Amino acid sequence: MREPTGCVGPVDLSDVSSELGAVRQTGPHRRVANALLAGFASAIVLASGSQAADPTTIAGPARVVDGDTLVINGERIRMYGIDAPESAQQCLDARGASYPCGLVSKDALAKKIGSAPVRCEVKNADQYGRNVSVCSMAGVGGSLEDLNAWLVSNGYAVAYRQYGKDYVSLEDQAHAAGKGIWQGQFQVPSEWRKQNKRGEAGPVAASVAFVPPAPAGANGGDPVPNCANGPAIKGNINASGEKIYHVSGGRYYDSVRIDLKDGERFFCTETEATAAGWRKSAQ
């Protein structure tokens, strides 16, 4: 528990009373002394209360704003380390049909929480003043269940790798199992926001969409997307941290292996790869 700045330890009010005792005996100063003692006692009680409270925790009934945002006791909370589709965002299901994946994530979280109290441990505040937090609720047997992890595990959100790696392994598992948004195609929420700054619903942009992996064994077992225009482009990150992409037929294409956990990725077009910050291999 963090101790408020300026606190020097507990104060015994009996000592204060003794010090003011003599003053109380004199009639003209009795009211002033009593007022001073009452005010000082109130200040000590307030200081003690601030020490007992935990400023890094927000708890209570939660209102779900979207798949990664809550409001508790009037405080807006952004769930740490995850990114859910926006409320207006559309995704494609396993059959290629469009559906409101952002609303699905929101509804799933609201149904999960119901009327149960939620406890959020605040890590910091973001640029919008929201409390970036790991949120939990009572699970089976009374133990706390991490709601951030639950969303990623069930494919209602992705790991927000730009801000933390805590939920990357859970995302990989959801991806492999084809859960939630991983059943079909979708834009990474952060990319969708860039292209839909006003929040309008729009179609899935193939250039930044995740697609189901090809059958096992293709390209040595890599989870290669099904690109309509030919073999997928491999976005590799070398030992120096450079982002280099390799096209089919290139000297190193067959030997390069992509590790999604390390931030490497596949692309379907060179335009997509270049826009994402990768440069073409010289060979």
Side-chain angles (χ1 to χ4, degrees):
M1 177 171 61
R2 184 177 301 168
E3 185 173 298
T5 302
C7 290
V8 295
V11 176
D12 190 339
L13 290 181
S14 62
D15 293 340
V16 179
S17 180
S18 298
E19 292 294 329
L20 294 177
V23 180
R24 282 183 166 180
Q25 301 305 315
T26 60
H29 301 288
R30 178 176 298 177
R31 291 182 182 179
V32 175
N34 287 343
L36 288 172
L37 180 60
F40 193 76
S42 297
I44 295 301
V45 170
L46 289 174
S48 299
S50 65
Q51 284 181 310
D54 184 354
T56 64
T57 300
I58 301 173
R63 176 171 65 86
V64 177
V65 177
D66 57 35
D68 54 32
T69 309
L70 304 173
V71 173
I72 299 177
N73 300 332
E75 294 285 344
R76 200 170 183 87
I77 295 166
R78 176 63 165 84
M79 299 175 79
Y80 165 78
I82 72 172
D83 201 11
E86 298 298 319
S87 295
Q89 188 171 347
Q90 298 285 314
C91 300
L92 301 181
D93 63 19
R95 298 173 297 176
S98 179
Y99 73 99
C101 51
L103 293 180
V104 168
S105 292
K106 174 184 176 181
D107 291 345
L109 180 58
K111 183 177 180 180
K112 173 70 173 176
I113 294 174
S115 59
V118 174
R119 178 185 178 89
C120 294
E121 302 294 335
V122 181
K123 285 181 166 288
N124 51 55
D126 67 10
Q127 60 181 322
Y128 305 107
R130 298 175 298 184
N131 299 282
V132 180
S133 312
V134 175
C135 298
S136 57
M137 61 180 288
V140 178
S143 61
L144 291 178
E145 180 178 8
D146 185 334
L147 290 171
N148 303 41
W150 181 84
L151 284 161
V152 176
S153 295
N154 288 280
Y156 295 123
V158 298
Y160 210 165
R161 298 167 187 249
Q162 180 180 348
Y163 297 104
K165 306 289 186 180
D166 305 53
Y167 303 106
V168 170
S169 62
L170 295 178
E171 179 192 283
D172 292 340
Q173 294 171 28
H175 186 181
K179 291 185 176 181
I181 52 180
W182 296 103
Q183 66 179 292
Q185 299 185 33
F186 69 95
Q187 274 183 283
V188 178
S190 58
E191 294 291 342
W192 188 92
R193 288 192 293 272
K194 291 178 184 178
Q195 296 185 4
N196 299 269
K197 292 184 179 180
R198 296 180 181 178
E200 302 99 340
V204 175
S207 63
V208 289
F210 280 101
V211 298
N219 193 42
D222 286 341
V224 186
N226 299 312
C227 297
N229 57 338
I233 295 169
K234 296 181 178 182
N236 174 245
I237 301 177
N238 66 20
S240 300
E242 295 180 286
K243 296 180 176 180
I244 302 173
Y245 71 83
H246 302 265
V247 299
S248 178
R251 179 177 178 181
Y252 302 109
Y253 184 85
D254 291 335
S255 61
V256 168
R257 290 292 177 268
I258 300 303
D259 190 340
L260 300 178
K261 295 188 296 297
D262 290 339
E264 297 177 330
R265 53 187 291 193
F266 291 98
F267 304 97
C268 285
T269 68
E270 292 192 57
T271 299
E272 174 193 348
T274 301
W278 266 257
R279 68 171 178 82
K280 188 174 183 179
S281 172
Q283 300 185 54

